[in-house]
Amino acid sequence: MKLNERSLAFYATCDAPADNAGFLYKKGGRHAAYHRRWFVLRGNMLFYFEDAASREPVGVIILEGCTVELVEAAEEFAFAVRFAGARARAYVLAAESQAAMEGWVKALSRASFDYLRLVVRELEQQLAAVRAGGGPVPPRRPRALPPKENGCAVWSAETPAAPGPGPGPAPAGAAPSPRPGLEPPPLPPRRRASAPNGPVDSTSFAQLHEWYGQEVRALRSQWLRSQAQP
């Protein structure tokens, strides 16, 4: 597929929800100065604009084959997007807070198709185990990035526990609320290894994905409606 400036600008500013968006400080390629830019992550493309109201991106970073690392820099909450190769450029970025930095590093680490291949491979292994009669297996989150041997910190794909609603110990068995005043969506019910149209061994991966996806979407809609009520 061929991409030109017009198609990239349309994709960067379309109405579809972005995977992540916000202000970051970007270090210049030839100079040490940092410039505040508005960044928008869509799929494996990271667009950056002069400001949030701009309709045309200044540039785009294709995130395939990259690693995201925490770095020591003049700016606080800095991290780098690096690519393999002696002449490959490293993009040094800095967030405005610790929480923003963690959100960006996790989102960028999971943006490439390499990470999606790991997820699909893990799901295929789970499906094969169910078809073999081993029963449901506990899901495991694949690591987005391998550990570095040079001591440089690399972000893990594992999701940290969300902070609680306030100080004090949380009751036993209670899940922390993602934001004050909002309750987390209900967990989907546990199901046996069976599909609505027949046994699992005769159901394709795509059918299973669509089936469980409909249930998750229904639960999310139910949760959103409950939060909208006074």
Side-chain angles (χ1 to χ4, degrees):
M1 180 178 64
K2 294 183 178 180
L3 296 176
N4 53 36
E5 292 184 2
R6 181 177 298 179
S7 60
L8 282 175
F10 174 80
Y11 180 58
T13 57
C14 66
D15 295 332
D19 297 314
N20 204 2
F23 282 105
L24 291 172
Y25 293 92
K26 178 179 176 293
K27 186 177 181 180
R30 297 181 180 180
H31 307 284
Y34 283 81
H35 302 279
R36 192 169 184 256
R37 297 286 184 259
W38 177 258
F39 281 77
V40 176
L41 175 63
R42 294 185 182 276
N44 65 343
M45 295 184 179
L46 180 62
F47 299 92
Y48 52 98
F49 302 77
E50 288 284 351
D51 52 55
S54 299
R55 301 300 300 170
E56 186 172 347
V58 177
V60 59
I61 304 172
I62 308 298
L63 299 171
E64 289 303 317
C66 72
T67 59
V68 185
E69 305 173 356
L70 305 182
V71 296
E72 294 289 339
E75 290 289 335
E76 198 175 8
F77 311 121
F79 58 95
V81 179
R82 302 184 186 277
F83 296 87
R87 297 184 178 181
R89 177 181 174 183
Y91 295 87
V92 180
L93 308 172
E96 296 181 335
S97 66
Q98 178 73 21
M101 181 194 70
E102 293 177 359
W104 274 109
V105 171
K106 285 194 296 184
L108 295 175
S109 299
R110 302 175 184 183
S112 68
F113 285 109
D114 290 336
Y115 177 83
L116 295 180
R117 276 194 291 266
L118 290 175
V119 174
V120 172
R121 187 180 306 168
E122 181 70 20
L123 293 175
E124 289 176 344
Q125 292 174 356
Q126 295 181 25
L127 179 60
V130 173
R131 285 180 172 176
V137 295
R140 295 175 299 173
R141 293 183 179 273
R143 294 182 61 89
L145 297 170
K148 306 293 285 187
E149 296 182 356
N150 59 2
C152 186
V154 178
W155 195 257
S156 172
E158 298 179 356
T159 304
S177 176
R179 287 184 297 176
L182 292 180
E183 294 296 329
L187 294 176
R190 294 182 178 271
R191 293 186 177 271
R192 298 184 180 274
S194 61
N197 298 325
V200 175
D201 54 4
S202 63
T203 306
S204 67
F205 174 79
Q207 290 172 326
L208 285 176
H209 184 276
E210 178 63 23
W211 176 41
Y212 285 108
Q214 291 176 357
E215 185 175 10
V216 171
R217 288 193 293 269
L219 288 171
R220 183 176 184 272
S221 299
Q222 178 183 356
W223 174 70
L224 290 175
R225 287 195 299 269
S226 66
Q227 297 302 318
Q229 296 176 357

